């Protein structure tokens, strides 16, 4: 490894960072993270802070799980790579598919297609949804419905169903035939509706209306996050996902639950859909599937979808889609170990308890600071705090102030993430009560400084 001076001098010079402007990264050099232990990270200047971001909503097991690390290291020596494209397989991939299926069987998932991450998993679900309808003899079903404020990764399909302009405008034109319904965002919505259950009803009506307008036989799938993550931790009413499930059923539309963040315990249950009592037709996952220790994702299908592919008589059921690293043996070994550890440590139970603590602590901060416009969470370890410069007018806080808050919170011992004028938190699911308290204390200092 090169020395610190080399790293500082070359920081952001040659590396373009995702979700950042290259010139801005050169002026405001990114923090160089050099190590991690438990739920904390250490930077090149030897600052150690609690990672309230969990890497990027992904390090569910914290940074020190030796079982997963050893499983990865062992597999590197046994078989570092082999392709799973039709014709070959490998033992960890077979075992991982069994383990993932067992994990998500209560959600109705029976088939697993491994990918290299969340965007890949979303793309896989969208493509297979179209192919499913073709195989069923309804090739007109090509369109997709999704929610504003949703985040579904950055491939062209995912960006097309994405509900945030920032991820779309520079890359347009995107996939035709994608239509966006309102987000279940009680704090701001086009109906000025503050009651979450009524808002859910209004969005359901708009969705039915859009389906009637498009023609239900043109729509392949509706994709949604059970709790919108990157869009600001938007928690819908408990009726919302069920309402959309019923609408999909009435119109022959597949429901894809994008569980890239919400899978594997983050919501306080093993999946977000299960949290709301819904069984989707497909699920996209990544992140917690390996706790970020290796890049893996998975798209999953229920029996209804699997049957259409597996009992096909048209000869068109070949899945001409996949990634070089689909079912990567080292990734698969990471999946097997991560799922075993996730269950052994019962991460969902700790996520529920610590999530409530973080949410209630954030609500107390809202009583103290006028700049807090809205606090969202309370369902596991996903918390969003929306910052405003005027509480009555709900004016979004300017980004200079947001960056100042971020830095002050960091100096007080906690790494948080900014999503526009929201402070977003998704710490490891192994976090302790004392560590959540230290996050809240750091936020207190950050808001006081602002
Ligand atoms: C709900 C959701 N879907 C898809 C993605 C894309 O995943 P990745 O960044 O692994 O491609 C993300 C990433 O945060 C996500 O939150």
């Amino acid at each position: 490894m090169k020395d610190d001076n080399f790293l500082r001098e070359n920081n952001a010079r040659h590396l373009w960072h995702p979700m950042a402007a290259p010139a801005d990264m050169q002026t405001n050099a990114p923090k160089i993270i050099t190590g991690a232990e438990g739920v904390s990270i250490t930077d090149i200047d030897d600052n150690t802070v609690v990672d309230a971001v969990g890497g990027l909503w992904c390090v569910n097991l914290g940074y020190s799980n030796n079982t997963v690390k050893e499983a990865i290291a062992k597999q590197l020596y046994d078989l570092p790579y082999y392709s799973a494209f039709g014709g070959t397989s490998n033992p960890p991939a077979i075992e991982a598919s069994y383990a993932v299926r067992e994990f998500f069987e209560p959600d109705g998932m029976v088939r697993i297609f491994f990918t290299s991450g969340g965007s890949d998993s979303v793309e896989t679900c969208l493509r297979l949804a179209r192919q499913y309808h073709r195989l069923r003899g309804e090739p007109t079903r090509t369109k997709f419905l999704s929610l504003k404020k949703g985040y579904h990764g950055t491939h062209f399909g995912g960006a097309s169903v994405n509900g945030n302009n920032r991820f779309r405008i520079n890359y347009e034109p995107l996939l035709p035939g994608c239509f966006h319904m309102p987000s279940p965002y009680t704090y701001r919505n086009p109906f000025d509706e503050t009651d979450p259950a009524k808002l859910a009803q209004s969005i359901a009506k708009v969705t039915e209306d859009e389906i009637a307008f498009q023609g239900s036989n043109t729509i392949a799938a509706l994709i949604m996050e059970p709790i919108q993550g990157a869009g600001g931790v938007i928690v819908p009413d408990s009726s919302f996902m069920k309402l959309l499930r019923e609408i999909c059923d009435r119109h022959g539309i597949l429901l894809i639950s994008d569980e890239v963040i919400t899978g594997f315990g983050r919501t306080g249950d093993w999946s977000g859909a299960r949290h709301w009592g819904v069984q989707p037709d497909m699920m996209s996952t990544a992140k917690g599937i390996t706790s970020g220790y290796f890049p893996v994702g998975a798209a999953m299908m229920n029996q209804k979808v699997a049957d259409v592919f597996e009992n096909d008589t048209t000869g068109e059921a070949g899945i001409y889609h996949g990634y070089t690293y689909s079912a990567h043996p080292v990734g698969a070994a990471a999946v097997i170990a991560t799922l075993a550890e996730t269950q052994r440590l019962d991460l969902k139970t700790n996520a529920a308890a610590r999530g409530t603590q973080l949410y209630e602590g954030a609500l107390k901060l809202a009583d103290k600071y006028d700049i807090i416009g809205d606090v969202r969470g309370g369902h596991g370890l996903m918390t969003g705090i929306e910052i405003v410069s005027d509480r009555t007018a709900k004016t979004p806080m300017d980004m200079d102030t947001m960056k100042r808050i971020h830095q002050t919170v960091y100096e007080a011992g906690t790494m948080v993430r900014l999503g526009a004028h929201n402070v977003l938190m998704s710490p490891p699911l192994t976090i302790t009560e004392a560590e959540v308290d230290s996050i809240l204390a750091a936020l207190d200092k950050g808001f006081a400084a602002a």
Side-chain angles (χ1 to χ4, degrees):
M1 181 78 78
K2 302 278 190 190
D3 65 23
D4 287 3
N5 284 338
F6 172 92
L7 297 173
R8 284 196 178 90
E9 274 166 24
N10 287 283
N11 192 10
R13 285 251 180 101
H14 322 288
L15 172 65
W16 276 10
H17 289 264
M19 308 295 173
D24 182 45
M25 286 294 97
Q26 289 183 4
T27 327
N28 301 302
K31 292 183 167 62
I32 303 173
I33 308 303
T34 54
E37 201 181 327
V39 302
S40 296
I41 50 173
T42 300
D43 68 22
I44 199 165
D45 299 313
D46 281 335
N47 300 303
T48 294
V49 299
V50 173
D51 182 16
V53 190
L56 198 54
W57 320 75
C58 59
V59 185
N60 292 3
L61 287 166
Y63 292 93
S64 303
N65 192 293
N66 287 337
T67 305
V68 179
K69 291 180 190 184
E70 282 157 18
I72 290 172
K74 179 174 183 308
Q75 188 56 44
L76 275 170
Y77 286 93
D78 291 348
L79 177 70
Y81 177 75
Y82 209 79
S83 149
F85 276 32
T88 46
S89 192
N90 64 75
I94 296 165
E95 190 180 334
S97 65
Y98 184 89
V100 173
R101 177 193 158 127
E102 268 204 318
F103 202 92
F104 290 104
E105 228 166 3
D107 301 293
M109 298 296 111
V110 298
R111 295 293 182 268
I112 319 301
F113 188 100
F114 284 115
T115 73
S116 320
S119 299
D120 289 357
S121 301
V122 168
E123 202 71 11
T124 302
C125 288
L126 297 177
R127 283 172 180 250
L128 295 189
R130 281 187 169 179
Q131 190 174 2
Y132 161 86
H133 289 296
R134 287 183 76 85
L135 293 173
R136 289 176 53 252
E138 269 199 297
T140 53
R141 287 191 182 264
T142 58
K143 297 176 185 170
F144 297 109
L145 301 180
S146 59
L147 300 176
K148 288 188 178 147
K149 296 227 156 255
Y151 183 77
H152 301 291
T154 53
H155 293 351
F156 265 100
S160 304
V161 291
N162 221 310
N164 186 325
N165 269 348
R166 254 186 319 162
F167 304 111
R168 302 171 55 89
I169 287 170
N170 285 329
Y171 310 102
E172 289 178 339
L174 299 170
L175 200 64
C178 296
F179 303 94
H180 301 77
M181 305 302 109
S183 162
Y185 181 27
T186 321
Y187 187 60
R188 303 173 197 268
N189 61 72
F191 313 99
D192 287 330
E193 180 58 74
T194 52
D195 179 319
K198 286 188 187 153
L199 179 57
Q201 291 283 349
S202 299
I203 298 167
K205 276 193 197 136
V206 170
T207 306
E208 289 263 26
D209 186 57
E210 187 68 31
I211 292 168
F213 179 72
Q214 297 295 334
S216 60
N217 67 341
T218 69
I219 301 171
L222 184 153
I223 182 166
M224 64 180 290
E225 298 159 90
I227 293 175
Q228 295 187 312
V233 184
I234 294 167
V235 182
D237 185 66
S238 59
S239 64
F240 183 62
M241 197 170 184
K242 270 199 206 111
L243 283 171
L244 293 184
R245 170 76 271 184
E246 285 161 16
I247 291 172
C248 287
D249 285 344
R250 270 203 293 284
H251 299 285
I253 297 167
L254 292 177
L255 176 65
I256 305 169
S257 187
D258 187 351
E259 304 263 0
V260 168
I261 288 176
T262 51
F264 306 99
R266 184 153 294 284
T267 64
D269 209 330
W270 289 133
S271 79
R274 210 178 307 180
H275 191 74
W276 300 132
V278 167
Q279 287 198 326
D281 297 301
M282 292 180 168
M283 285 167 85
S284 45
T285 62
K287 296 193 191 272
I289 197 167
T290 56
S291 196
Y293 286 33
F294 198 90
V296 177
M300 290 178 256
M301 280 59 70
N302 70 1
Q303 195 67 56
K304 178 175 88 181
V305 175
D307 281 347
V308 167
F309 280 83
E310 293 176 5
N311 302 329
D312 168 66
T313 53
T314 68
E316 295 297 331
I319 299 174
Y320 292 104
H321 168 82
Y323 308 98
T324 296
Y325 302 124
S326 284
H328 191 296
V330 181
V335 170
I336 297 163
T338 302
L339 292 197
E341 285 295 278
T342 297
Q343 272 166 324
R344 184 182 70 79
L345 297 166
D346 191 18
L347 291 190
K348 69 176 171 49
T349 302
N350 196 51
R354 299 285 68 82
T356 302
Q357 182 193 351
L358 185 59
Y359 176 62
E360 286 175 355
L363 285 173
K364 281 196 193 124
L365 291 173
D367 289 339
K368 198 166 163 188
Y369 297 108
D370 277 355
I371 58 167
I372 298 182
D374 195 26
V375 175
R376 296 181 290 269
H379 296 264
L381 276 166
M382 300 174 74
T383 307
I385 305 179
E386 182 159 346
I387 311 296
V388 292
S389 55
D390 179 331
R391 220 182 216 181
T392 314
K394 300 186 179 176
T395 316
M397 184 59 86
D398 65 273
M399 282 317 290
D400 283 344
T401 309
M402 291 305 298
K403 283 181 188 161
R404 217 167 50 243
I405 292 173
H406 184 271
Q407 184 57 24
T408 318
V409 172
Y410 189 78
E411 284 162 15
T414 290
M415 174 70 110
V416 292
R417 183 166 170 72
L418 298 183
H421 60 288
N422 296 288
V423 173
L424 305 178
M425 289 174 287
S426 52
L429 309 187
T430 51
I431 197 163
T432 64
E433 190 174 350
E435 286 160 342
V436 171
D437 280 340
S438 74
I439 293 175
L440 291 166
L443 288 173
D444 199 344
K445 286 190 184 144
F447 297 144

